[in-house]
Amino acid sequence: MLQKIYDWVDERLDITPLWRDVADHEVPEHVNPAHHFSAFVYCFGGLTFFITVIQILSGMFLTMYYTPDIINAYQSVYYLQNEVAFGVIVRGMHHWGASLVIVMMFLHTLRVFFQGAYKKPRELNWVVGVLIFMVMMGLGFTGYLLPWDMKALFATKVGLQIAEAVPLIGPMTKTLLSGHPEIIGAQTLTRFFAIHVFFLPAALLGLMGAHFLMIRKQGISGPL
């Protein structure tokens, strides 16, 4: 049955060359752990992508129950954790994954830096990777406020004060994020939710697409 469906789709869209091109792509020997123990350091990028996929899927599940307003936000998170089947597991995956993805990305960045993989002809891909790192940090910061508890409130207050300390654009950046120059309230939560769910994920997907295309074009960097 599945073969018939595949053949029907393939006849119309010719998808076989697409996935065969991915499946048959040769990987350099130096990234094969069976031949080189040091090849494990090349896994950090793939692990980062895998955790990112988990973050996206778990985040989509969380948005089905989350209410982005100051009256119901905390209660919606409480309901998700205590009433929804497997809700506490999914939220736990999203919570810990937010930290783990930063760790994996940091290790991946260290590997690229110490192996000189940012040098010609991969300078642009390095810049894109740094931008992805910044977007991930932004996702972590904006997502921290969403449970709307005291820890999230005070942590966000500190983060906004740090943003305000940036020369020239600091006060404007703080107001843009919080919606008010002094108060963390309904506007702040709404803006953080919109940035976390719409703006930053769109930027992340675009940057990751560019990152993978350049890796495909230039190949995996050589050994140290």
Side-chain angles (χ1 to χ4, degrees):
M1 181 63 180
L2 292 177
Q3 184 63 42
K4 290 182 178 180
I5 295 175
Y6 175 84
D7 292 340
W8 186 88
V9 174
D10 186 52
E11 183 180 358
R12 286 153 180 80
L13 301 178
D14 194 25
I15 61 175
T16 297
L18 298 176
W19 72 263
R20 291 304 304 179
D21 181 56
V22 175
D24 294 340
H25 184 68
E26 293 188 4
V27 178
E29 185 179 346
H30 67 273
V31 301
N32 188 345
H35 297 98
H36 300 277
F37 179 77
S38 60
F40 284 104
V41 299
Y42 289 89
C43 297
F44 295 136
L47 289 173
T48 301
F49 174 71
F50 176 72
I51 300 170
T52 301
V53 172
I54 293 177
Q55 289 298 96
I56 293 173
L57 295 177
S58 59
M60 292 170 64
F61 177 84
L62 296 180
T63 56
M64 296 174 64
Y65 296 93
Y66 181 73
T67 306
D69 68 70
I70 59 175
I71 297 177
N72 298 305
Y74 180 81
Q75 292 298 327
S76 65
V77 175
Y78 180 87
Y79 174 79
L80 171 68
Q81 288 206 156
N82 295 278
E83 301 295 335
V84 178
F86 306 109
V88 65
I89 297 176
V90 177
R91 188 184 175 229
M93 292 169 61
H94 198 75
H95 173 79
W96 293 109
S99 299
L100 188 58
V101 73
I102 297 297
V103 173
M104 289 294 104
M105 186 170 293
F106 180 69
L107 293 174
H108 177 58
T109 303
L110 287 180
R111 196 278 300 172
V112 172
F113 178 78
F114 283 112
Q115 290 194 326
Y118 58 88
K119 298 178 181 179
K120 184 180 179 180
R122 298 180 175 85
E123 305 96 327
L124 183 58
N125 210 6
W126 168 262
V127 173
V128 172
V130 172
L131 292 176
I132 293 175
F133 205 149
M134 294 174 64
V135 169
M136 283 294 190
M137 296 291 287
L139 285 166
F141 176 62
T142 54
Y144 205 85
L145 179 65
L146 301 186
W148 198 247
D149 53 15
M150 295 304 296
K151 183 172 70 171
L153 185 65
F154 285 114
T156 301
K157 183 177 181 180
V158 173
L160 290 175
Q161 288 173 345
I162 295 174
E164 187 180 21
V166 176
L168 299 178
I169 63 171
M172 181 177 63
T173 302
K174 178 186 176 183
T175 303
L176 179 65
L177 290 172
S178 64
H180 192 279
E182 301 296 335
I183 300 173
I184 298 178
Q187 277 282 342
T188 313
L189 183 63
T190 302
R191 292 189 181 200
F192 271 50
F193 177 77
I195 294 171
H196 186 76
V197 174
F198 298 110
F199 293 97
L200 290 181
L204 178 65
L205 293 176
L207 289 170
M208 288 178 63
H211 194 62
F212 292 143
L213 283 175
M214 282 186 278
I215 292 174
R216 184 74 178 196
K217 181 71 175 179
Q218 300 167 342
I220 299 175
S221 61
L224 182 65

